[in-house]
Amino acid sequence: MILEALAHQYQRLIERDEPGLSPYGYSPEKISYAIVLSADGEPVDVQSLLDTSGKKPVPQSMSVPQPEKRTSGIKSNFLWDKTSYVLGVSASSKRTAEEHEAFKAFHAQALAGTTDPGLMALLKFLSKWTPERFASAPFTADMLDANVIFKLDGEPLQYLHQRPAAQTVRARLLGPAAEASASASSTQRCLVSGELADVARLHPAIKGVNGAQSSGASIVSFNLEAFNSYGKSQGDNAPVSEQAAFAYTTVLNHLLRRGPHNRQRLSVGDASVVFWAEAQDPEQAQSNEDLLAMLLNPDSKSDEGQETEKIRQVMEVVAKGRPLAELDPKLDEGTRMFVLGLAPNASRLSIRYWLCDTLGDLVQRLRQHAEDLNLEPSPWKTAPSVWRLALATAPSRGDPPKAKADDVPPLLAGELMRAILTGGCYPQSLLTNIVMRMRSDGDISGVRAALCKAVLNRDLRLSHSDFSDKEVPVSLDVHSTHSGYLLGRLFAVLEGAQRLALGSQVNATIRDRYYGSASATPALVFPVLLRNTQNHMSRIRKDKPGAAINIERDIQEVIDKLPGEFPKHLGMQDQGRFAIGYYHQTQARYQKADKSDLAAHNETNDQGGTQ
């Protein structure tokens, strides 16, 4: 199913001339230099193809004949390669002589009998080239181990591999006769296309997956004796034709390409995620893919205000049951969308998740995800991406607290993404992870509180229990009677009293010292905190009697709703509610402080105006 969907996407992109996508037998590779040859095979110049628009020069991506899949063997590419093959010089390879001889022998055989001037110039060059000549102009040491191509002098717009004669030779090398003579394939029914075709024994490498080998990795691979069955080896175990193998790997490499303009690729934990729309119309496909990219990764662009407004409009339309076409006529809720998550696994790739669904269903689930996360006041200006949520599961260190990507549990991040896309329960370990992180590092951020709320509310809704009575509130709920939520509120009130009494003299608040134990074993901690608060209240009554009355009222309001004794222990769900209650009450205190400052500022301005 995955390979079939990728192969079909390749055909759609080829039919609409997608930029950067190569035809069968070719692939985009990083090329750094072009050696200009005279008709006699003499190197007259070396042209740099490096892109210098950024901070440092980088190789240019060019469509060249597809490279050979090299593990430990020596195989030459056609009409291009790194300098150890082309010129017999390298700063790292210990077998440059063998690699250069392989390049010469391969091209001598492949180009035998050619009458094309450019290809003949290459043969003459190889026949008289010696690696010692690399020390003289026009060659430079910067070329070592870079990929190089060839050009015939006097033809500035065409490289050797682009010449019609070279493309004819390339087609012959890819033909059934060449494959049969090399005993590289057998004719079987392709599992992807269903047609009888030559089977690919080795599939082209897939590059661009975070954490995988830089030379590429494979989804389909059989290279050990233990993987062989019934006398079949390598690709014969799962027959996929050469064309289908090329198609699915080429389009996957295209989707995985790095760059600021590729919004079909994002990282979530250790998974590299790609997605695409099944649509023949390029503009319709682009619109559907952009919408999904915006919803999955809303904080990826600089125009945060515009992006946030677009997301708000989408959510509003979907919530009211109106069609997405009201926002953009090119949006079609029935368009099939594909999402593929790939994770590194040595020289192979693991499928972290795979989803095929309609755009309308995916948008509906993302809207529900946003609703589950919703907190008031909102902890963010721009809706958080999946990766930003995953970062909340990592420990926060430093001042201000910051999480590292390497600390995100990869399986947890993958299960979080799966739950968002499918609408299922969030992973149960998510709540445990978030609660334990808050207890250990004391960072009770809005994102973490929102994740606690999302897990609790989704579990309640999907369990078909009485959702209305147990639902975690969006904003401060002064009528809630849940012990965990009330104790979180009480803890925030006591912390506020400490801050008001001591002001800037506070080195560490009760949150820094007692949050973990207060949220887990309230009966042991809250009596101590309440006694200490009386000392703070004495100072507040002297300096700010009005504030003292408000704090005492808040404390009494919460305690009146609690049972006769503080609970000895709070379960994981109640600890999640504790964090949400703490967040709501803390934000309410900040809002009161902001209003007080604004009132004082307005009063000062009014007095100044009457003098």
mmCIF file of all heavy atoms in Angstrom, residues 311 315-316 318-320 363-376 380 383-384 420 426 450-451 453-455 457-458 461 467 471-475:
data_model
loop_
_atom_site.group_PDB
_atom_site.id
_atom_site.type_symbol
_atom_site.label_atom_id
_atom_site.label_comp_id
_atom_site.label_asym_id
_atom_site.label_seq_id
_atom_site.Cartn_x
_atom_site.Cartn_y
_atom_site.Cartn_z
ATOM 1 N N ILE A 311 -5.698 29.741 10.486
ATOM 2 C CA ILE A 311 -6.076 28.573 11.273
ATOM 3 C C ILE A 311 -7.400 28.815 11.986
ATOM 4 O O ILE A 311 -8.268 27.935 12.041
ATOM 5 C CB ILE A 311 -4.964 28.231 12.282
ATOM 6 C CG1 ILE A 311 -3.702 27.759 11.541
ATOM 7 C CG2 ILE A 311 -5.420 27.161 13.263
ATOM 8 C CD1 ILE A 311 -2.519 27.538 12.445
ATOM 9 N N MET A 315 -10.768 26.515 11.531
ATOM 10 C CA MET A 315 -11.426 25.866 12.664
ATOM 11 C C MET A 315 -12.866 26.336 12.810
ATOM 12 O O MET A 315 -13.762 25.551 13.145
ATOM 13 C CB MET A 315 -10.646 26.141 13.952
ATOM 14 C CG MET A 315 -9.241 25.562 13.957
ATOM 15 S SD MET A 315 -9.247 23.790 13.585
ATOM 16 C CE MET A 315 -7.499 23.434 13.584
ATOM 17 N N GLU A 316 -13.101 27.595 12.545
ATOM 18 C CA GLU A 316 -14.457 28.142 12.664
ATOM 19 C C GLU A 316 -15.376 27.540 11.612
ATOM 20 O O GLU A 316 -16.511 27.154 11.903
ATOM 21 C CB GLU A 316 -14.407 29.667 12.513
ATOM 22 C CG GLU A 316 -15.752 30.343 12.675
ATOM 23 C CD GLU A 316 -15.649 31.858 12.556
ATOM 24 O OE1 GLU A 316 -14.604 32.412 12.945
ATOM 25 O OE2 GLU A 316 -16.612 32.467 12.069
ATOM 26 N N VAL A 318 -14.993 24.621 10.017
ATOM 27 C CA VAL A 318 -15.206 23.198 10.291
ATOM 28 C C VAL A 318 -16.147 23.003 11.471
ATOM 29 O O VAL A 318 -17.015 22.120 11.455
ATOM 30 C CB VAL A 318 -13.844 22.505 10.559
ATOM 31 C CG1 VAL A 318 -14.057 21.054 10.969
ATOM 32 C CG2 VAL A 318 -12.966 22.573 9.314
ATOM 33 N N ALA A 319 -15.982 23.822 12.522
ATOM 34 C CA ALA A 319 -16.841 23.694 13.703
ATOM 35 C C ALA A 319 -18.310 23.937 13.359
ATOM 36 O O ALA A 319 -19.209 23.328 13.964
ATOM 37 C CB ALA A 319 -16.384 24.668 14.787
ATOM 38 N N LYS A 320 -18.565 24.795 12.390
ATOM 39 C CA LYS A 320 -19.941 25.106 11.997
ATOM 40 C C LYS A 320 -20.470 24.147 10.942
ATOM 41 O O LYS A 320 -21.620 24.295 10.489
ATOM 42 C CB LYS A 320 -20.027 26.547 11.484
ATOM 43 C CG LYS A 320 -19.765 27.590 12.571
ATOM 44 C CD LYS A 320 -19.848 29.004 12.021
ATOM 45 C CE LYS A 320 -19.610 30.027 13.121
ATOM 46 N NZ LYS A 320 -19.666 31.419 12.603
ATOM 47 N N VAL A 363 -8.775 17.274 8.844
ATOM 48 C CA VAL A 363 -8.987 18.617 9.390
ATOM 49 C C VAL A 363 -9.924 18.548 10.592
ATOM 50 O O VAL A 363 -9.724 19.243 11.597
ATOM 51 C CB VAL A 363 -9.544 19.554 8.305
ATOM 52 C CG1 VAL A 363 -9.948 20.892 8.908
ATOM 53 C CG2 VAL A 363 -8.513 19.771 7.209
ATOM 54 N N GLN A 364 -10.936 17.685 10.523
ATOM 55 C CA GLN A 364 -11.856 17.540 11.643
ATOM 56 C C GLN A 364 -11.128 17.028 12.888
ATOM 57 O O GLN A 364 -11.372 17.497 14.010
ATOM 58 C CB GLN A 364 -12.974 16.564 11.254
ATOM 59 C CG GLN A 364 -14.157 16.536 12.182
ATOM 60 C CD GLN A 364 -14.978 17.812 12.151
ATOM 61 O OE1 GLN A 364 -14.865 18.615 13.077
ATOM 62 N NE2 GLN A 364 -15.765 18.013 11.108
ATOM 63 N N ARG A 365 -10.213 16.090 12.717
ATOM 64 C CA ARG A 365 -9.457 15.561 13.857
ATOM 65 C C ARG A 365 -8.481 16.588 14.406
ATOM 66 O O ARG A 365 -8.274 16.672 15.622
ATOM 67 C CB ARG A 365 -8.711 14.296 13.435
ATOM 68 C CG ARG A 365 -9.643 13.121 13.164
ATOM 69 C CD ARG A 365 -8.914 11.968 12.565
ATOM 70 N NE ARG A 365 -9.858 10.977 12.055
ATOM 71 C CZ ARG A 365 -9.631 10.203 11.022
ATOM 72 N NH1 ARG A 365 -8.481 10.299 10.369
ATOM 73 N NH2 ARG A 365 -10.518 9.324 10.626
ATOM 74 N N LEU A 366 -7.887 17.368 13.525
ATOM 75 C CA LEU A 366 -6.979 18.410 13.993
ATOM 76 C C LEU A 366 -7.747 19.510 14.731
ATOM 77 O O LEU A 366 -7.233 20.109 15.677
ATOM 78 C CB LEU A 366 -6.205 18.992 12.812
ATOM 79 C CG LEU A 366 -5.148 18.049 12.217
ATOM 80 C CD1 LEU A 366 -4.679 18.548 10.862
ATOM 81 C CD2 LEU A 366 -3.962 17.907 13.156
ATOM 82 N N ARG A 367 -8.970 19.770 14.297
ATOM 83 C CA ARG A 367 -9.805 20.734 15.020
ATOM 84 C C ARG A 367 -10.136 20.204 16.421
ATOM 85 O O ARG A 367 -10.087 20.949 17.411
ATOM 86 C CB ARG A 367 -11.106 21.001 14.247
ATOM 87 C CG ARG A 367 -11.989 22.061 14.907
ATOM 88 C CD ARG A 367 -13.414 21.967 14.438
ATOM 89 N NE ARG A 367 -14.043 20.732 14.852
ATOM 90 C CZ ARG A 367 -14.549 20.513 16.062
ATOM 91 N NH1 ARG A 367 -14.505 21.454 16.980
ATOM 92 N NH2 ARG A 367 -15.115 19.363 16.347
ATOM 93 N N GLN A 368 -10.446 18.912 16.515
ATOM 94 C CA GLN A 368 -10.740 18.327 17.810
ATOM 95 C C GLN A 368 -9.507 18.350 18.712
ATOM 96 O O GLN A 368 -9.598 18.599 19.919
ATOM 97 C CB GLN A 368 -11.226 16.886 17.636
ATOM 98 C CG GLN A 368 -11.645 16.212 18.939
ATOM 99 C CD GLN A 368 -12.814 16.909 19.592
ATOM 100 O OE1 GLN A 368 -13.923 16.963 19.041
ATOM 101 N NE2 GLN A 368 -12.591 17.472 20.777
ATOM 102 N N HIS A 369 -8.341 18.113 18.120
ATOM 103 C CA HIS A 369 -7.081 18.182 18.870
ATOM 104 C C HIS A 369 -6.875 19.589 19.429
ATOM 105 O O HIS A 369 -6.501 19.763 20.601
ATOM 106 C CB HIS A 369 -5.920 17.790 17.957
ATOM 107 C CG HIS A 369 -4.573 18.114 18.485
ATOM 108 N ND1 HIS A 369 -4.029 17.507 19.596
ATOM 109 C CD2 HIS A 369 -3.638 19.010 18.052
ATOM 110 C CE1 HIS A 369 -2.830 17.991 19.831
ATOM 111 N NE2 HIS A 369 -2.568 18.907 18.920
ATOM 112 N N ALA A 370 -7.130 20.608 18.601
ATOM 113 C CA ALA A 370 -6.980 21.991 19.060
ATOM 114 C C ALA A 370 -7.977 22.309 20.174
ATOM 115 O O ALA A 370 -7.654 23.021 21.127
ATOM 116 C CB ALA A 370 -7.170 22.950 17.881
ATOM 117 N N GLU A 371 -9.185 21.755 20.070
ATOM 118 C CA GLU A 371 -10.194 21.986 21.109
ATOM 119 C C GLU A 371 -9.797 21.304 22.417
ATOM 120 O O GLU A 371 -9.986 21.859 23.500
ATOM 121 C CB GLU A 371 -11.551 21.454 20.628
ATOM 122 C CG GLU A 371 -12.710 21.767 21.560
ATOM 123 C CD GLU A 371 -14.034 21.312 20.991
ATOM 124 O OE1 GLU A 371 -14.284 21.595 19.798
ATOM 125 O OE2 GLU A 371 -14.812 20.661 21.720
ATOM 126 N N ASP A 372 -9.229 20.100 22.307
ATOM 127 C CA ASP A 372 -8.786 19.401 23.512
ATOM 128 C C ASP A 372 -7.668 20.170 24.212
ATOM 129 O O ASP A 372 -7.567 20.159 25.437
ATOM 130 C CB ASP A 372 -8.306 17.992 23.161
ATOM 131 C CG ASP A 372 -9.458 17.053 22.807
ATOM 132 O OD1 ASP A 372 -10.584 17.317 23.257
ATOM 133 O OD2 ASP A 372 -9.225 16.076 22.075
ATOM 134 N N LEU A 373 -6.816 20.822 23.445
ATOM 135 C CA LEU A 373 -5.690 21.568 24.017
ATOM 136 C C LEU A 373 -6.085 22.933 24.565
ATOM 137 O O LEU A 373 -5.350 23.514 25.369
ATOM 138 C CB LEU A 373 -4.611 21.786 22.953
ATOM 139 C CG LEU A 373 -3.684 20.640 22.564
ATOM 140 C CD1 LEU A 373 -2.798 21.065 21.412
ATOM 141 C CD2 LEU A 373 -2.824 20.204 23.746
ATOM 142 N N ASN A 374 -7.212 23.433 24.146
ATOM 143 C CA ASN A 374 -7.571 24.832 24.411
ATOM 144 C C ASN A 374 -7.589 25.154 25.904
ATOM 145 O O ASN A 374 -8.219 24.469 26.704
ATOM 146 C CB ASN A 374 -8.939 25.128 23.799
ATOM 147 C CG ASN A 374 -9.313 26.592 23.913
ATOM 148 O OD1 ASN A 374 -8.434 27.459 23.911
ATOM 149 N ND2 ASN A 374 -10.595 26.868 24.022
ATOM 150 N N LEU A 375 -6.867 26.217 26.273
ATOM 151 C CA LEU A 375 -6.862 26.756 27.628
ATOM 152 C C LEU A 375 -7.072 28.265 27.558
ATOM 153 O O LEU A 375 -6.655 28.917 26.595
ATOM 154 C CB LEU A 375 -5.527 26.476 28.324
ATOM 155 C CG LEU A 375 -5.298 25.115 28.977
ATOM 156 C CD1 LEU A 375 -3.905 25.079 29.586
ATOM 157 C CD2 LEU A 375 -6.330 24.819 30.050
ATOM 158 N N GLU A 376 -7.701 28.800 28.561
ATOM 159 C CA GLU A 376 -7.873 30.246 28.670
ATOM 160 C C GLU A 376 -7.326 30.715 30.009
ATOM 161 O O GLU A 376 -7.689 30.140 31.045
ATOM 162 C CB GLU A 376 -9.346 30.628 28.534
ATOM 163 C CG GLU A 376 -9.942 30.366 27.170
ATOM 164 C CD GLU A 376 -9.328 31.238 26.082
ATOM 165 O OE1 GLU A 376 -8.739 32.281 26.449
ATOM 166 O OE2 GLU A 376 -9.444 30.898 24.903
ATOM 167 N N TRP A 380 -0.250 30.465 24.260
ATOM 168 C CA TRP A 380 0.562 30.705 23.060
ATOM 169 C C TRP A 380 -0.095 31.747 22.167
ATOM 170 O O TRP A 380 -1.302 31.933 22.169
ATOM 171 C CB TRP A 380 0.740 29.403 22.282
ATOM 172 C CG TRP A 380 -0.521 28.601 22.156
ATOM 173 C CD1 TRP A 380 -1.631 28.889 21.414
ATOM 174 C CD2 TRP A 380 -0.822 27.390 22.854
ATOM 175 N NE1 TRP A 380 -2.596 27.934 21.589
ATOM 176 C CE2 TRP A 380 -2.134 26.995 22.456
ATOM 177 C CE3 TRP A 380 -0.115 26.585 23.750
ATOM 178 C CZ2 TRP A 380 -2.732 25.837 22.937
ATOM 179 C CZ3 TRP A 380 -0.723 25.434 24.229
ATOM 180 C CH2 TRP A 380 -2.007 25.068 23.826
ATOM 181 N N ALA A 383 -0.640 28.710 17.513
ATOM 182 C CA ALA A 383 -0.947 27.337 17.916
ATOM 183 C C ALA A 383 0.303 26.462 17.828
ATOM 184 O O ALA A 383 1.071 26.570 16.868
ATOM 185 C CB ALA A 383 -2.044 26.767 17.022
ATOM 186 N N PRO A 384 0.531 25.608 18.810
ATOM 187 C CA PRO A 384 1.763 24.818 18.823
ATOM 188 C C PRO A 384 1.756 23.696 17.787
ATOM 189 O O PRO A 384 0.735 23.049 17.559
ATOM 190 C CB PRO A 384 1.796 24.242 20.246
ATOM 191 C CG PRO A 384 0.365 24.171 20.645
ATOM 192 C CD PRO A 384 -0.316 25.334 19.978
ATOM 193 N N ILE A 420 -3.129 12.238 17.177
ATOM 194 C CA ILE A 420 -3.653 13.471 16.572
ATOM 195 C C ILE A 420 -4.261 13.182 15.209
ATOM 196 O O ILE A 420 -5.338 13.670 14.872
ATOM 197 C CB ILE A 420 -2.536 14.520 16.468
ATOM 198 C CG1 ILE A 420 -2.097 14.967 17.868
ATOM 199 C CG2 ILE A 420 -3.000 15.723 15.648
ATOM 200 C CD1 ILE A 420 -0.850 15.837 17.868
ATOM 201 N N TYR A 426 -4.789 9.799 23.306
ATOM 202 C CA TYR A 426 -3.371 10.121 23.410
ATOM 203 C C TYR A 426 -2.683 8.993 24.184
ATOM 204 O O TYR A 426 -3.322 8.303 24.996
ATOM 205 C CB TYR A 426 -3.178 11.441 24.149
ATOM 206 C CG TYR A 426 -3.735 12.645 23.434
ATOM 207 C CD1 TYR A 426 -4.901 13.262 23.870
ATOM 208 C CD2 TYR A 426 -3.090 13.179 22.313
ATOM 209 C CE1 TYR A 426 -5.422 14.371 23.215
ATOM 210 C CE2 TYR A 426 -3.604 14.286 21.659
ATOM 211 C CZ TYR A 426 -4.762 14.878 22.111
ATOM 212 O OH TYR A 426 -5.273 15.964 21.455
ATOM 213 N N ALA A 450 -1.800 22.308 29.062
ATOM 214 C CA ALA A 450 -2.734 22.032 27.967
ATOM 215 C C ALA A 450 -2.689 20.563 27.573
ATOM 216 O O ALA A 450 -3.726 19.959 27.267
ATOM 217 C CB ALA A 450 -2.392 22.915 26.767
ATOM 218 N N LEU A 451 -1.507 19.957 27.579
ATOM 219 C CA LEU A 451 -1.405 18.536 27.254
ATOM 220 C C LEU A 451 -2.107 17.687 28.310
ATOM 221 O O LEU A 451 -2.774 16.691 27.980
ATOM 222 C CB LEU A 451 0.065 18.129 27.136
ATOM 223 C CG LEU A 451 0.745 18.449 25.796
ATOM 224 C CD1 LEU A 451 2.238 18.200 25.889
ATOM 225 C CD2 LEU A 451 0.141 17.619 24.676
ATOM 226 N N LYS A 453 -4.684 18.588 30.090
ATOM 227 C CA LYS A 453 -6.117 18.756 29.825
ATOM 228 C C LYS A 453 -6.552 17.929 28.621
ATOM 229 O O LYS A 453 -7.607 17.284 28.639
ATOM 230 C CB LYS A 453 -6.421 20.229 29.584
ATOM 231 C CG LYS A 453 -7.844 20.499 29.092
ATOM 232 C CD LYS A 453 -8.069 21.960 28.818
ATOM 233 C CE LYS A 453 -9.428 22.204 28.185
ATOM 234 N NZ LYS A 453 -9.504 21.709 26.798
ATOM 235 N N ALA A 454 -5.734 17.934 27.556
ATOM 236 C CA ALA A 454 -6.091 17.197 26.337
ATOM 237 C C ALA A 454 -6.210 15.700 26.612
ATOM 238 O O ALA A 454 -7.167 15.047 26.178
ATOM 239 C CB ALA A 454 -5.054 17.467 25.252
ATOM 240 N N VAL A 455 -5.238 15.143 27.334
ATOM 241 C CA VAL A 455 -5.268 13.704 27.629
ATOM 242 C C VAL A 455 -6.500 13.355 28.459
ATOM 243 O O VAL A 455 -7.219 12.392 28.154
ATOM 244 C CB VAL A 455 -3.983 13.284 28.373
ATOM 245 C CG1 VAL A 455 -4.088 11.835 28.828
ATOM 246 C CG2 VAL A 455 -2.766 13.449 27.473
ATOM 247 N N ASN A 457 -9.423 15.018 28.938
ATOM 248 C CA ASN A 457 -10.707 15.219 28.281
ATOM 249 C C ASN A 457 -10.943 14.207 27.171
ATOM 250 O O ASN A 457 -12.065 13.721 26.977
ATOM 251 C CB ASN A 457 -10.803 16.640 27.729
ATOM 252 C CG ASN A 457 -11.258 17.630 28.785
ATOM 253 O OD1 ASN A 457 -11.596 17.246 29.898
ATOM 254 N ND2 ASN A 457 -11.263 18.907 28.452
ATOM 255 N N ARG A 458 -9.898 13.876 26.407
ATOM 256 C CA ARG A 458 -10.093 12.904 25.322
ATOM 257 C C ARG A 458 -10.392 11.516 25.887
ATOM 258 O O ARG A 458 -11.230 10.794 25.343
ATOM 259 C CB ARG A 458 -8.873 12.864 24.403
ATOM 260 C CG ARG A 458 -9.055 11.914 23.232
ATOM 261 C CD ARG A 458 -8.027 12.102 22.137
ATOM 262 N NE ARG A 458 -8.189 13.364 21.428
ATOM 263 C CZ ARG A 458 -7.632 13.616 20.237
ATOM 264 N NH1 ARG A 458 -6.883 12.707 19.646
ATOM 265 N NH2 ARG A 458 -7.823 14.779 19.650
ATOM 266 N N ARG A 461 -14.015 11.538 26.930
ATOM 267 C CA ARG A 461 -14.950 11.562 25.808
ATOM 268 C C ARG A 461 -15.015 10.216 25.091
ATOM 269 O O ARG A 461 -16.092 9.724 24.737
ATOM 270 C CB ARG A 461 -14.542 12.671 24.823
ATOM 271 C CG ARG A 461 -15.555 12.881 23.707
ATOM 272 C CD ARG A 461 -15.202 14.065 22.821
ATOM 273 N NE ARG A 461 -13.941 13.857 22.133
ATOM 274 C CZ ARG A 461 -12.809 14.470 22.440
ATOM 275 N NH1 ARG A 461 -12.788 15.340 23.443
ATOM 276 N NH2 ARG A 461 -11.706 14.249 21.767
ATOM 277 N N PHE A 467 -19.266 12.807 30.483
ATOM 278 C CA PHE A 467 -18.214 13.766 30.141
ATOM 279 C C PHE A 467 -18.466 15.126 30.777
ATOM 280 O O PHE A 467 -17.539 15.795 31.232
ATOM 281 C CB PHE A 467 -18.123 13.890 28.624
ATOM 282 C CG PHE A 467 -17.058 14.820 28.139
ATOM 283 C CD1 PHE A 467 -15.714 14.544 28.355
ATOM 284 C CD2 PHE A 467 -17.379 15.989 27.469
ATOM 285 C CE1 PHE A 467 -14.725 15.402 27.910
ATOM 286 C CE2 PHE A 467 -16.396 16.847 27.025
ATOM 287 C CZ PHE A 467 -15.077 16.548 27.246
ATOM 288 N N GLU A 471 -15.458 16.839 32.898
ATOM 289 C CA GLU A 471 -14.641 17.568 31.926
ATOM 290 C C GLU A 471 -13.726 18.575 32.623
ATOM 291 O O GLU A 471 -14.132 19.281 33.543
ATOM 292 C CB GLU A 471 -15.539 18.293 30.935
ATOM 293 C CG GLU A 471 -14.766 19.086 29.889
ATOM 294 C CD GLU A 471 -15.684 19.875 28.974
ATOM 295 O OE1 GLU A 471 -16.900 19.931 29.261
ATOM 296 O OE2 GLU A 471 -15.188 20.432 27.990
ATOM 297 N N VAL A 472 -12.471 18.604 32.151
ATOM 298 C CA VAL A 472 -11.518 19.584 32.669
ATOM 299 C C VAL A 472 -11.857 20.934 32.057
ATOM 300 O O VAL A 472 -11.966 21.039 30.825
ATOM 301 C CB VAL A 472 -10.075 19.181 32.339
ATOM 302 C CG1 VAL A 472 -9.098 20.209 32.884
ATOM 303 C CG2 VAL A 472 -9.773 17.801 32.911
ATOM 304 N N PRO A 473 -12.020 21.979 32.846
ATOM 305 C CA PRO A 473 -12.467 23.263 32.300
ATOM 306 C C PRO A 473 -11.408 23.944 31.445
ATOM 307 O O PRO A 473 -10.210 23.715 31.609
ATOM 308 C CB PRO A 473 -12.761 24.097 33.556
ATOM 309 C CG PRO A 473 -11.892 23.497 34.617
ATOM 310 C CD PRO A 473 -11.839 22.030 34.309
ATOM 311 N N VAL A 474 -11.878 24.797 30.545
ATOM 312 C CA VAL A 474 -10.977 25.554 29.671
ATOM 313 C C VAL A 474 -10.327 26.698 30.446
ATOM 314 O O VAL A 474 -9.136 26.957 30.323
ATOM 315 C CB VAL A 474 -11.739 26.096 28.452
ATOM 316 C CG1 VAL A 474 -10.848 27.023 27.629
ATOM 317 C CG2 VAL A 474 -12.245 24.944 27.593
ATOM 318 N N SER A 475 -11.112 27.373 31.267
ATOM 319 C CA SER A 475 -10.609 28.493 32.063
ATOM 320 C C SER A 475 -10.906 28.242 33.536
ATOM 321 O O SER A 475 -11.472 27.198 33.898
ATOM 322 C CB SER A 475 -11.239 29.808 31.599
ATOM 323 O OG SER A 475 -12.652 29.727 31.689
#
